[in-house]
Amino acid sequence: MILAWGLALPGTAGAATELVHATNLKADARLAAQRKVPILVLFSSPGCHYCERVKREYLVPMHNDPSYKKRVIIREVTVGATTPLTGFDNEATTEGAFAATNKVFMVPTVKMLTPSGTDASEAIVGLLSPDYYFGYLEAAIDEGLRKVRVK
């Protein structure tokens, strides 16, 4: 597989072609706390071609790259969906309600969250400039790591 930024991933035959949908953020938070990494949440919607591009060119390759498992957990939430979701507080909610609580109204939006569910960096709203998007993601992950690994 060739990543959007020109790097090849060895051994990615059979790798995921989609992101993992958030179903239990409390469980994801426990894993993030163990690994000392932030949680990157892509807020998307069906039919959003910018969302598909962000997934295809940036986030799915990151998700499939073993080195990113040590840096971030990546999940997807569908804005407006009634799909059940367990929140960071272990309470039942929906993907749409979680997006609204996080004040996400435009897609794609990428939020970097701490294991407690608080913002770990500025949200990345829209595709912005595709030439710099990978850099925006890297900066958000780095900021998230700094917040999560503070002693």
Side-chain angles (χ1 to χ4, degrees):
M1 171 183 292
I2 304 296
L3 301 177
W5 50 93
L7 301 174
L9 286 179
T12 55
T17 58
E18 291 292 323
L19 295 178
V20 175
H21 250 276
T23 57
N24 187 332
L25 291 170
K26 184 68 172 178
D28 291 334
R30 280 193 295 272
L31 181 59
Q34 288 172 349
R35 291 185 188 171
K36 294 185 171 132
V37 299
I39 302 168
L40 180 157
V41 178
L42 168 67
F43 292 89
S44 64
S45 65
C48 167
H49 70 276
Y50 293 112
C51 301
E52 291 304 316
R53 185 170 177 191
V54 166
K55 287 192 282 188
R56 181 182 65 249
E57 294 182 19
Y58 303 98
L59 298 180
V60 169
M62 282 180 169
H63 176 74
N64 289 330
D65 183 339
S67 68
Y68 278 95
K69 297 215 184 309
K70 298 174 187 169
R71 300 187 66 217
V72 68
I73 292 172
I74 302 173
R75 295 294 181 259
E76 183 176 8
V77 167
T78 302
V79 173
T82 58
T83 310
L85 172 69
T86 301
F88 284 97
D89 58 2
N90 210 32
E91 296 293 322
T93 187
T94 65
E95 290 186 41
F98 180 73
T101 298
N102 277 274
K103 297 177 176 55
V104 174
F105 304 104
M106 287 185 58
V107 292
T109 293
V110 171
K111 290 194 83 169
M112 197 67 55
L113 303 172
T114 66
S116 63
T118 60
D119 289 341
S121 72
E122 292 269 333
I124 303 170
V125 181
L127 183 54
L128 306 171
S129 172
D131 291 341
Y132 298 107
Y133 199 79
F134 178 71
Y136 299 141
L137 289 171
E138 280 291 308
I141 292 169
D142 289 343
E143 180 66 20
L145 284 168
R146 278 192 292 278
K147 290 221 171 121
V148 169
R149 293 180 178 171
V150 167
K151 293 193 177 197

